[in-house]
Amino acid sequence: MPYPASVRFDAGSLSIPEGVSVTWEGARTPMLERAVGRFRARLAALGGIPAPAADAPAATQLHIHVGADPAYLSVAAREGYRLTVDVHGIDLAADGPAGVLHGLATLLQLVRAGPQSPAIAFARIDDAPRFAWRGVMIDVARHFMTIETLKRQIDAMELVKLDVLHLHLSDGQGFRVESRVFPRLTTVASHGQYYTQEQIRDLVAYAADRGIRIVPEFDTPGHAFALLLAYPDLASQPPAPGDRHQVNVAAIDPTLEGSYRFLRRLYGEMGHLFPDPYFHAGGDEVSATQWTKNAAIAAFMRQNGFATPQQLQAAFTARIQKILHDQGKIMMGWDEITEAAIPGNVVIEAWRGSKFIASATRAGHPVVVSAGYYLDLLQPASEHYLVDPLDPQANGLTPELAEKLRPKLGAMVDALKLDPSATMSPAQDRLVMGGEAPLWTEVVTDEMLDARLWPRSAAIAERFWSPASVRDVPDMYRRLAVVQDELCVTGLQAQANRYRMAARLSPGNAGPVLTLADATSPIRHYGHNHPVSHGPNGPVVQQMNTPSDIAAPDSAGAERFNDLARRYVAGDRSVRPVLEAMLTRWRDNDAAFQAVSAGRPILEDARPASQELKALAQAGLDALAGRNGKDWRAVTGALLARQDQAVAASANMVVSHTVAQPPADLLQDITPGVRTLAGLD
Amino acid sequence: MPYPASVRFDAGSLSIPEGVSVTWEGARTPMLERAVGRFRARLAALGGIPAPAADAPAATQLHIHVGADPAYLSVAAREGYRLTVDVHGIDLAADGPAGVLHGLATLLQLVRAGPQSPAIAFARIDDAPRFAWRGVMIDVARHFMTIETLKRQIDAMELVKLDVLHLHLSDGQGFRVESRVFPRLTTVASHGQYYTQEQIRDLVAYAADRGIRIVPEFDTPGHAFALLLAYPDLASQPPAPGDRHQVNVAAIDPTLEGSYRFLRRLYGEMGHLFPDPYFHAGGDEVSATQWTKNAAIAAFMRQNGFATPQQLQAAFTARIQKILHDQGKIMMGWDEITEAAIPGNVVIEAWRGSKFIASATRAGHPVVVSAGYYLDLLQPASEHYLVDPLDPQANGLTPELAEKLRPKLGAMVDALKLDPSATMSPAQDRLVMGGEAPLWTEVVTDEMLDARLWPRSAAIAERFWSPASVRDVPDMYRRLAVVQDELCVTGLQAQANRYRMAARLSPGNAGPVLTLADATSPIRHYGHNHPVSHGPNGPVVQQMNTPSDIAAPDSAGAERFNDLARRYVAGDRSVRPVLEAMLTRWRDNDAAFQAVSAGRPILEDARPASQELKALAQAGLDALAGRNGKDWRAVTGALLARQDQAVAASANMVVSHTVAQPPADLLQDITPGVRTLAGLD
């Protein structure tokens, strides 16, 4: 995963008791030698053998032929490779360094631990990506992420052939990079949580070694509260520390020449730190009232003929584009910037809906698609997996749903509504460089990042890499569980941190919490993002410390159960003992959960969710045992309907907090399998 | 844990939504400020709140009063502290810096996560250790451990108030510290796995910050194979690379003046790197034939009146002691060195049996006790926990068992035999400085270290710290499970690495492997240390990659089950649903285990162990259901007898590999509870 463009498996495997010896042909470089060092260490970790010394000889040969590629680490990089594993050894022929990295990543997925030696399955693979831009975006402003945590994500990205890490480095909550030109960005706007310039250089080099470009984003004119706390002269409305409304909406004043002088120097400094030619300047979610309620700005608009704030933003965008162009950068921005005329070479990140893919490419803009891949919506992998970056109808509101939501959302609906007339010409398709999966971190802490980003990013990586025809969801889930474990074996902390979070809630007996979390997932579409409430001692900020913060959007155990239930109903009776064991365990977990939750308020809140799981599991066991009379069907029907309601409430694009949420923000992931067993599909 | 000398809990707790602000009185130092920084980070991790910035104010006050202590980081350090948590805040009064570290460690064990804020239980504690020397020994020669891994152990040691890390830095398999005086120790004897001098200095400082002294051991004259590969002129028998017999027995030639010149310079170099006054020179397990079969050495012995190799070793020891004394060091050695006259100030590490506590202190030697605390024997925590460092009858062979084993072990038996006449005077008691838990790493890799060292070291830490009267085993186990989770929450990788090892064996579905491992433990007393066998492609070295390498010597789940079974039989029927759920899960796990093990030889080998677990769990369920007829009793009796046999075989001091071992080297830890339920106690 991602599934190769072409693959043939042969019977047999190659035993590698001591790892591999490498022979080279072509453009061998120190970077590639480091890549082979990582490969060896990962091979040892996956195969369960001691990590070999760098120069230790081994009987198995890995022959690498690599072509030179001046475009390495750019959107034009040569990424193709051909891999052969047979009785003679391993042969990897790559068009360029990126192809070597990709071939080694594929090779690791063929490794299997064995009693005396790991082995690599015989295979012939000919592979290249569908899209050049395969990214994830991490928001390090809402919650700061340590360098160590980011490096773990970069390691995992390398293993699933993602090649762009877009870092959202500034927002209302903080400005996260040391600035020497504007030191108050560090002393005031970072709240003590920032990366030093040395750390950034190190991180960029670390990513480059793994074939990954870092694209920085410094969001303007909106989302600028932290920056404006440090430099209030540039603000459209005076920022006050702790103003929770302003945190999300404060915007730079685009009528001041000082704003441009500031951004020119700031972007100049940051552009040197981040060598990639693409520079993301944000441009999303500018609040009109920031400008219209400022008398001087309003006067400026009248005097200069800007009828709408959108037009004013377009002028701002054009000047920013010019600044970045002068600095040798290609500007990138969120799709709002297309609302007025902007230079054609600006790269548009289509986020509000897939219809912007068509509109932006029609205007000649290169496009990176993030609509459909928002990981912070906490949707399961399958939903992102089926969104194709070239389909302008893939993600957004149907006209019917849009009209239903209009009373609640007002004009915002129009941006979210699909445009049924949007189609793509081949020339437009070619302008789509790829996609990005953004993870905004309002409710994601450093210790949660691994489990929120993965394994879903691996499924999305397959969408960006593999042929469009690869879209079998059950098959994807079977492979995804394996890839997730392989990532954990080679260093990801997803599983480790989930255990830590559960152990914190129930030290000495984390099992019942984990069993509940493994069968559930958090409510989706921002239903879990709770507004700040006001307690007796001041504002109460959401703590990310509950079972729904441990539960993952995909439950591997529940997926397996749902799959087995389908097989059982289709006639495969051999799976019955495993189905019974799974259901029994979920049913029985409630007694243990009730015990460990006593006197622990966070867990007491989740007791109703544990009881729902017990009831669902019992319904499944009853169905298997044929105890399905009329009363049972009524009770089970009501139980399943409750779960459907919770999912439906969670599935609206924006969940209203007046709608009843499920207990402890948890959705019951075994519901589909129980419905199947109950014959109520 | 370790349980304080005196503690009183009061009703209520102190809420700490933002952590604590610290006020100081007395000898505040940068070291103590760093300690408070660690405390805050750990408080945040355990309490589930964001780690606060260093200078962030908080409503809760922690007032620290600390006395000056010139003896900090020595055996004379002032370690006592008094801790009060009440409605006014937290007050910590410490006799010296060590007392502050201990008080903060205690405080962390009082933290509990809560929905809006963590809380610390109200308490009054007056505490000081029973012994000054509370150590663990890690063998980094057999398997090299990374600095990062060692630092994790040091962090955990701080939290359970251990204060000595004894590093076994040289042995047959390698010499692990960079030497600039003798570079071949690095280039030849380390096989590429060593600590640079800079890393050692950093590690020593890291430990010192945490109140932990590092005592280095460079073992001579035996266990010197790696050293002698680099400097063969000093060898008693010519060393040959790959000679598997010599690896364990090669010894330095004690008749050469060059040996003493070499060791004087080497110990001088190493003594500077490790500032602690104690220096461990080994002295264990010298093989007589290394010397007697060397004609020159034999002649030397005759000429100089050394009747036995022991006498020759005594002379060697006396010269080494003189060398170390001249360098300002206090020599420490394993108890073999007491077999001939040695200077009285040499510290003896009593390892072969507790009788050496009495004999060495009778001769006036300070003693550190490791007999009874050998973690590599893979005994459960309870067995170490009940060994008292002042009891010369606590650990060793009874005279009866010794005579039974004499045909197998020969004269070695005499060293292992308890001396029933050994008693201790108060003066002798005072010579016992404390104890050490050694972990030799023949079958412990870097990724296994956390789970082999912990949680058992925490139980042993309690033995070394708490009053001798604290010895309630079920109570210890209840607290041990909590402490283990707290260590994992604050950074230990025990649980994380167990998951990784299981995921490697069964990627995508590690659950069945973990469930089996959680109910079993590895065979004890070196039964799991397999001799090197000869395969078709050369020697086959043991891979530490099986369920028995994942299973821990203590199974928290099985302990809980055994405890509940006792409560059930004693009349507490409320525990029945939990007992049934546990047994059902273990029984049902076999179907899943059989499925995931198909085609995976390592797991296929463990199928019989999974079936034994299933049979035991079924027997327990039958007993609960009253299905206990005559046939059932016969079958269950035989099943339990098989488990007893496996434990008994494993309990002999030295397991003969001709004795039948249990399947996959796994002992079934739920056996006692099943026996209790079956009424066959």
Side-chain angles (χ1 to χ4, degrees):
Chain A
M1 183 175 251
Y3 204 80
S6 155
V7 58
R8 197 186 90 193
F9 287 107
D10 299 318
S13 65
L14 188 67
S15 180
I16 38 168
E18 303 151 308
V20 297
S21 276
V22 178
T23 55
W24 292 91
E25 199 176 327
R28 173 183 183 177
T29 65
M31 181 282 250
L32 288 173
E33 283 170 6
R34 291 193 294 273
V36 166
R38 281 198 304 284
F39 168 77
R40 284 179 155 172
R42 288 162 169 168
L43 178 63
L46 290 165
I49 53 173
D55 53 352
T60 308
Q61 294 295 314
L62 164 59
H63 181 73
I64 302 178
H65 181 286
V66 53
D69 179 14
Y72 176 67
L73 220 59
S74 82
V75 291
R78 296 177 192 156
E79 304 199 76
Y81 69 94
R82 287 149 304 286
L83 186 63
T84 309
V85 184
D86 61 22
V87 68
H88 305 297
I90 306 163
D91 197 87
L92 169 58
D95 300 338
V100 175
L101 299 179
H102 299 327
L104 295 175
T106 299
L107 205 41
L108 287 171
Q109 294 194 358
L110 302 174
V111 173
R112 186 180 260 215
Q116 295 306 337
S117 158
I120 300 187
F122 289 160
R124 277 158 209 284
I125 290 170
D126 194 339
D127 201 11
R130 182 173 171 218
F131 294 105
W133 191 296
R134 304 178 303 277
V136 297
M137 188 217 79
I138 302 176
D139 167 12
V140 297
R142 286 349 186 293
H143 274 98
F144 184 66
M145 308 292 166
T146 65
I147 290 286
E148 190 186 357
T149 292
L150 291 181
K151 286 184 173 176
R152 280 200 309 276
Q153 316 315 315
I154 290 171
D155 281 332
M157 288 173 69
E158 179 187 16
L159 292 173
V160 297
K161 308 185 176 73
L162 290 166
D163 65 355
V164 175
L165 174 58
H166 167 178
L167 288 177
H168 182 76
L169 290 157
S170 73
D171 211 302
Q173 289 78 358
F175 188 96
R176 302 301 184 199
V177 180
E178 176 193 11
S179 171
R180 294 177 185 167
V181 177
F182 297 108
R184 285 176 58 85
L185 290 176
T186 310
T187 56
V188 176
S190 78
H191 308 291
Q193 296 188 305
Y194 65 94
Y195 309 114
T196 66
Q197 297 204 351
E198 190 186 337
Q199 284 177 317
I200 292 290
R201 283 194 200 92
D202 171 58
L203 191 72
V204 167
Y206 189 90
D209 244 16
R210 287 151 182 81
I212 293 163
R213 300 155 42 218
I214 296 189
V215 173
E217 177 188 355
F218 296 94
D219 202 351
T220 59
H223 290 284
F225 180 73
L227 183 156
L228 295 172
L229 267 188
Y231 294 93
D233 290 352
L234 308 180
S236 304
Q237 302 289 336
D243 181 331
R244 296 190 170 275
H245 175 66
Q246 283 280 88
V247 165
N248 287 315
V249 299
I252 286 178
D253 183 341
T255 68
L256 303 175
E257 279 308 306
S259 293
Y260 300 99
R261 280 196 302 273
F262 177 88
L263 289 172
R264 181 186 300 276
R265 293 183 65 199
L266 178 64
Y267 284 180
E269 183 184 24
M270 295 300 139
H272 271 102
L273 269 180
F274 295 93
D276 200 80
Y278 291 87
F279 192 101
H280 203 303
D284 57 324
E285 299 185 318
V286 178
S287 167
T289 55
Q290 284 284 310
W291 292 342
T292 54
K293 289 198 171 169
N294 175 317
I297 297 176
F300 179 93
M301 286 174 69
R302 277 191 307 276
Q303 285 153 20
N304 293 276
F306 293 114
T308 66
Q310 283 78 11
Q311 289 179 8
L312 181 58
Q313 188 182 346
F316 174 87
T317 302
R319 287 196 64 176
I320 296 298
Q321 191 275 336
K322 173 94 175 47
I323 288 171
L324 287 170
H325 181 264
D326 290 349
Q327 294 173 351
K329 298 288 184 183
I330 302 167
M331 180 179 174
M332 192 165 171
W334 300 104
D335 60 36
E336 281 95 332
I337 63 176
T338 60
E339 287 176 13
I342 48 161
N345 61 349
V346 174
V347 178
I348 301 304
E349 181 149 12
W351 75 278
R352 285 179 297 172
S354 50
K355 67 171 182 175
F356 291 96
I357 305 166
S359 59
T361 52
R362 201 157 40 233
H365 292 289
V367 164
V368 170
V369 181
S370 56
Y373 308 114
Y374 265 54
L375 295 171
D376 51 317
L377 290 171
L378 302 182
Q379 291 170 264
S382 54
E383 298 188 3
H384 301 303
Y385 186 66
L386 294 176
V387 175
D388 196 284
L390 295 186
D391 181 0
Q393 308 295 337
N395 195 265
L397 295 184
T398 60
E400 297 73 33
L401 185 55
E403 290 320 306
K404 244 170 93 182
L405 287 174
R406 188 179 295 278
K408 217 186 264 176
L409 301 180
M412 197 204 293
V413 152
D414 293 313
L416 305 176
K417 202 168 58 177
L418 286 172
D419 171 4
S421 70
T423 55
M424 301 277 287
S425 70
Q428 281 176 280
D429 282 355
R430 282 192 296 275
L431 281 169
V432 176
M433 297 200 289
E436 276 186 6
L439 181 59
W440 303 95
T441 58
E442 281 88 347
V443 292
V444 182
T445 62
D446 186 270
E447 72 180 351
M448 291 166 69
L449 184 63
D450 300 49
R452 285 291 183 252
L453 203 55
W454 309 97
R456 293 182 298 158
S457 291
I460 296 173
E462 179 155 291
R463 178 56 46 236
F464 296 160
W465 177 284
S466 303
S469 58
V470 176
R471 48 191 293 125
D472 176 338
V473 168
D475 182 62
M476 177 276 284
Y477 269 121
R478 276 189 287 276
R479 293 180 291 120
L480 191 66
V482 174
V483 166
Q484 171 75 346
D485 271 347
E486 289 172 348
L487 293 178
C488 284
V489 169
T490 51
L492 200 70
Q493 291 284 330
Q495 194 64 32
N497 284 349
R498 273 163 60 88
Y499 183 86
R500 291 204 171 93
M501 293 174 74
R504 172 191 295 147
L505 295 179
S506 180
N509 192 7
V513 177
L514 285 169
T515 299
L516 174 63
D518 282 346
T520 53
S521 60
I523 188 169
R524 299 167 196 165
H525 291 97
Y526 306 135
H528 184 54
N529 297 38
H530 295 285
V532 174
S533 63
H534 293 275
N537 304 313
V540 177
V541 178
Q542 180 172 3
Q543 281 195 32
M544 273 136 282
N545 209 7
T546 70
S548 56
D549 298 299
I550 301 169
D554 289 292
S555 159
E559 272 309 320
R560 197 155 44 235
F561 167 76
N562 295 337
D563 195 36
L564 290 177
R566 282 190 293 270
R567 281 166 55 184
Y568 178 78
V569 168
D572 180 357
R573 300 287 141 157
S574 73
V575 300
R576 181 170 172 153
V578 175
L579 281 174
E580 279 176 347
M582 294 176 105
L583 289 166
T584 302
R585 184 169 166 218
W586 287 321
R587 179 195 64 192
D588 290 354
N589 189 61
D590 186 54
F593 190 87
Q594 300 297 321
V596 300
S597 57
R600 300 184 174 275
I602 295 174
L603 296 181
E604 282 173 348
D605 283 351
R607 282 177 167 183
S610 174
Q611 283 155 356
E612 288 282 82
L613 177 60
K614 177 184 178 178
L616 280 165
Q618 184 61 57
L621 287 166
D622 289 343
L624 277 173
R627 290 190 294 267
N628 52 0
K630 196 178 151 205
D631 288 354
W632 177 87
R633 279 202 303 277
V635 170
T636 302
L639 174 65
L640 293 170
R642 274 204 301 283
Q643 313 314 321
D644 290 344
Q645 259 177 326
V647 173
S650 179
N652 277 343
M653 193 55 122
V654 175
V655 172
S656 159
H657 286 278
T658 56
V659 170
Q661 293 195 226
D665 287 356
L666 287 171
L667 300 174
Q668 302 287 343
D669 287 347
I670 70 170
T671 302
V674 171
R675 174 174 289 113
T676 302
L677 293 179
L680 296 169
D681 267 334
Chain B
M1 183 174 250
Y3 205 79
S6 157
V7 59
R8 198 188 87 193
F9 288 107
D10 300 318
S13 64
L14 187 66
S15 180
I16 38 169
E18 303 152 311
V20 297
S21 275
V22 179
T23 55
W24 292 92
E25 200 175 325
R28 173 184 182 176
T29 64
M31 181 282 250
L32 287 173
E33 283 170 7
R34 290 192 295 272
V36 166
R38 282 198 302 284
F39 168 78
R40 284 180 155 170
R42 288 162 169 168
L43 178 62
L46 290 165
I49 53 173
D55 53 353
T60 308
Q61 293 296 314
L62 163 59
H63 181 73
I64 301 178
H65 181 287
V66 53
D69 178 13
Y72 175 67
L73 220 60
S74 81
V75 291
R78 295 176 192 156
E79 304 197 76
Y81 69 94
R82 287 149 305 286
L83 186 63
T84 307
V85 184
D86 61 24
V87 69
H88 305 296
I90 306 163
D91 197 87
L92 168 58
D95 301 339
V100 175
L101 299 180
H102 299 327
L104 294 175
T106 299
L107 205 42
L108 287 170
Q109 294 194 356
L110 302 174
V111 173
R112 187 180 259 215
Q116 294 305 338
S117 158
I120 300 187
F122 289 161
R124 277 157 208 283
I125 290 169
D126 193 340
D127 200 11
R130 183 173 169 217
F131 295 104
W133 191 296
R134 304 178 304 277
V136 296
M137 187 216 82
I138 301 175
D139 168 11
V140 297
R142 287 345 187 295
H143 275 98
F144 184 67
M145 306 293 166
T146 66
I147 290 285
E148 190 186 359
T149 292
L150 291 180
K151 285 184 173 176
R152 280 201 308 277
Q153 316 314 315
I154 290 171
D155 282 332
M157 289 173 68
E158 180 187 17
L159 292 173
V160 297
K161 307 184 177 73
L162 289 166
D163 66 355
V164 176
L165 173 59
H166 167 178
L167 288 179
H168 183 76
L169 290 158
S170 73
D171 212 302
Q173 289 77 358
F175 188 96
R176 302 300 184 199
V177 180
E178 175 194 14
S179 172
R180 294 177 185 170
V181 177
F182 297 108
R184 284 176 58 86
L185 289 176
T186 309
T187 55
V188 175
S190 78
H191 307 291
Q193 296 189 307
Y194 65 94
Y195 309 115
T196 65
Q197 297 204 351
E198 190 185 338
Q199 285 177 316
I200 291 290
R201 283 193 201 91
D202 171 59
L203 190 73
V204 167
Y206 190 91
D209 244 17
R210 286 150 184 82
I212 292 162
R213 300 155 41 218
I214 295 189
V215 173
E217 178 188 353
F218 296 93
D219 203 349
T220 58
H223 290 285
F225 180 74
L227 182 155
L228 295 171
L229 267 188
Y231 295 93
D233 289 352
L234 308 180
S236 303
Q237 304 287 338
D243 181 331
R244 297 191 169 272
H245 175 66
Q246 283 280 89
V247 165
N248 286 316
V249 300
I252 286 177
D253 184 341
T255 69
L256 303 174
E257 278 309 305
S259 294
Y260 300 100
R261 280 196 301 273
F262 177 88
L263 289 173
R264 181 186 300 277
R265 293 183 65 199
L266 178 64
Y267 284 179
E269 183 184 23
M270 296 300 139
H272 272 102
L273 269 180
F274 294 93
D276 200 80
Y278 292 87
F279 192 101
H280 203 302
D284 58 322
E285 299 185 319
V286 178
S287 166
T289 54
Q290 284 284 310
W291 292 342
T292 54
K293 290 198 172 171
N294 173 317
I297 298 176
F300 179 92
M301 286 174 68
R302 278 191 306 277
Q303 284 154 21
N304 293 275
F306 293 114
T308 65
Q310 283 77 13
Q311 289 178 11
L312 183 59
Q313 188 183 346
F316 174 87
T317 302
R319 288 196 64 176
I320 296 298
Q321 190 276 334
K322 174 92 172 49
I323 288 170
L324 288 170
H325 181 265
D326 290 349
Q327 294 174 351
K329 297 290 185 182
I330 302 167
M331 179 179 175
M332 195 165 169
W334 301 103
D335 60 34
E336 281 95 332
I337 63 174
T338 61
E339 286 177 13
I342 49 161
N345 61 350
V346 174
V347 178
I348 302 304
E349 181 150 12
W351 74 278
R352 285 179 297 172
S354 51
K355 67 172 183 176
F356 291 97
I357 306 166
S359 60
T361 53
R362 201 156 43 234
H365 292 290
V367 163
V368 170
V369 181
S370 56
Y373 308 114
Y374 265 53
L375 295 171
D376 51 317
L377 291 171
L378 301 182
Q379 293 169 265
S382 54
E383 298 188 3
H384 302 303
Y385 185 67
L386 293 176
V387 174
D388 196 283
L390 296 185
D391 181 0
Q393 309 295 337
N395 194 266
L397 295 184
T398 60
E400 298 72 34
L401 184 55
E403 290 320 304
K404 243 171 91 182
L405 287 174
R406 187 178 296 279
K408 216 185 267 175
L409 302 180
M412 197 206 292
V413 153
D414 293 313
L416 305 176
K417 201 167 59 176
L418 286 172
D419 171 4
S421 70
T423 56
M424 302 277 286
S425 70
Q428 282 176 279
D429 281 356
R430 281 192 296 275
L431 281 169
V432 177
M433 296 199 288
E436 276 185 8
L439 181 59
W440 303 96
T441 57
E442 282 88 347
V443 291
V444 183
T445 61
D446 186 90
E447 73 180 350
M448 292 167 69
L449 185 64
D450 300 51
R452 285 290 182 252
L453 204 55
W454 309 96
R456 293 182 297 158
S457 291
I460 296 173
E462 178 156 291
R463 178 56 46 237
F464 296 160
W465 176 284
S466 302
S469 58
V470 176
R471 46 192 293 126
D472 177 337
V473 168
D475 182 63
M476 178 276 284
Y477 269 122
R478 276 189 287 276
R479 293 181 291 120
L480 191 65
V482 174
V483 166
Q484 171 74 348
D485 270 347
E486 289 172 348
L487 293 178
C488 285
V489 169
T490 51
L492 201 70
Q493 291 284 333
Q495 193 65 33
N497 284 348
R498 275 163 57 87
Y499 183 85
R500 291 204 170 95
M501 292 173 75
R504 171 191 297 148
L505 295 179
S506 180
N509 193 5
V513 177
L514 285 170
T515 300
L516 174 63
D518 281 346
T520 54
S521 60
I523 188 169
R524 299 166 195 167
H525 292 98
Y526 305 136
H528 184 53
N529 297 39
H530 295 286
V532 174
S533 63
H534 293 275
N537 305 314
V540 177
V541 178
Q542 179 171 4
Q543 279 194 34
M544 272 137 281
N545 210 7
T546 70
S548 57
D549 298 299
I550 301 169
D554 289 292
S555 157
E559 271 309 319
R560 198 157 44 236
F561 167 75
N562 295 337
D563 194 37
L564 291 176
R566 281 190 293 271
R567 281 165 56 185
Y568 178 77
V569 168
D572 179 357
R573 300 287 141 157
S574 73
V575 301
R576 181 169 171 154
V578 176
L579 280 174
E580 280 176 347
M582 295 177 103
L583 288 166
T584 303
R585 184 170 165 216
W586 287 320
R587 180 195 64 191
D588 290 354
N589 189 61
D590 187 53
F593 190 88
Q594 301 296 323
V596 299
S597 57
R600 300 185 175 275
I602 295 175
L603 296 181
E604 283 173 347
D605 283 352
R607 283 177 165 184
S610 175
Q611 283 155 354
E612 287 282 81
L613 177 60
K614 177 184 181 179
L616 279 165
Q618 185 60 58
L621 286 166
D622 289 344
L624 277 173
R627 289 191 294 268
N628 53 0
K630 197 178 147 203
D631 287 355
W632 177 87
R633 281 200 303 278
V635 169
T636 302
L639 175 64
L640 293 170
R642 274 205 300 282
Q643 313 313 322
D644 290 345
Q645 258 177 325
V647 173
S650 179
N652 277 342
M653 193 57 123
V654 175
V655 171
S656 159
H657 285 276
T658 57
V659 171
Q661 294 195 224
D665 288 357
L666 287 171
L667 301 174
Q668 301 286 343
D669 287 347
I670 71 169
T671 303
V674 172
R675 174 174 288 114
T676 302
L677 293 179
L680 295 169
D681 267 335

